[in-house]
Amino acid sequence: LPRGAPRLVADVSVLHVVRSMGERLPDTWYQPVIEAGSPVACHYQALATSELLSKSSAAAAAGQARIRCDQLQPAVRDAFPAPADDVVILVCGPKAFVAEVCQPVLGDLGYEHIIEMW
């Protein structure tokens, strides 16, 4: 950046929610070698919901969206900064997962600046 220019993005946090860890992308996809030393830090975590879901009771399987919300909430708290005017959450994924799981979790946690992509 030119001297004195404002930094528009200071930090990037990624929470990649997948069904199983076998579906996750390699760490280098989020933190490419060519971006080493970038002034913008990138923090990456993966959460496999189906692996956690399979550990829950079969009787609870009918309420999968609620179970996934319960799984996702602590991961979001851990992965992202607290809600604030300068925190923007970008959500990308299957529409039902975004609508039934991500939006309720982000709303419950107080995030207001949410961008959805399909």
Side-chain angles (χ1 to χ4, degrees):
L1 293 173
R3 182 167 291 182
R7 288 183 59 186
L8 300 177
V9 177
D11 189 80
V12 174
S13 298
V14 176
L15 175 61
H16 189 181
V17 180
V18 292
R19 288 178 295 233
S20 71
M21 290 308 261
E23 294 179 346
R24 70 187 285 250
L25 297 170
D27 292 347
T28 55
W29 194 88
Y30 296 99
Q31 297 171 323
V33 174
I34 61 170
E35 292 182 9
S38 170
V40 178
C42 181
H43 310 281
Y44 164 68
Q45 294 181 45
L47 172 69
T49 60
S50 289
E51 291 172 5
L52 294 171
L53 192 62
S54 68
K55 295 176 185 175
S56 63
S57 71
Q64 286 188 15
R66 182 71 253 158
I67 293 169
R68 290 182 195 272
C69 286
D70 292 344
Q71 295 167 346
L72 186 58
Q73 197 167 60
V76 168
R77 270 195 214 107
D78 187 44
F80 298 143
D85 284 341
D86 64 346
V87 174
V88 177
I89 304 290
L90 175 66
V91 181
C92 179
K95 193 168 190 170
F97 180 71
V98 170
E100 296 170 16
V101 179
C102 298
Q103 283 290 1
V105 166
L106 295 169
D108 288 350
L109 291 174
Y111 291 97
E112 296 179 7
H113 309 292
I114 302 167
I115 299 170
E116 296 178 358
M117 297 178 65
W118 313 112

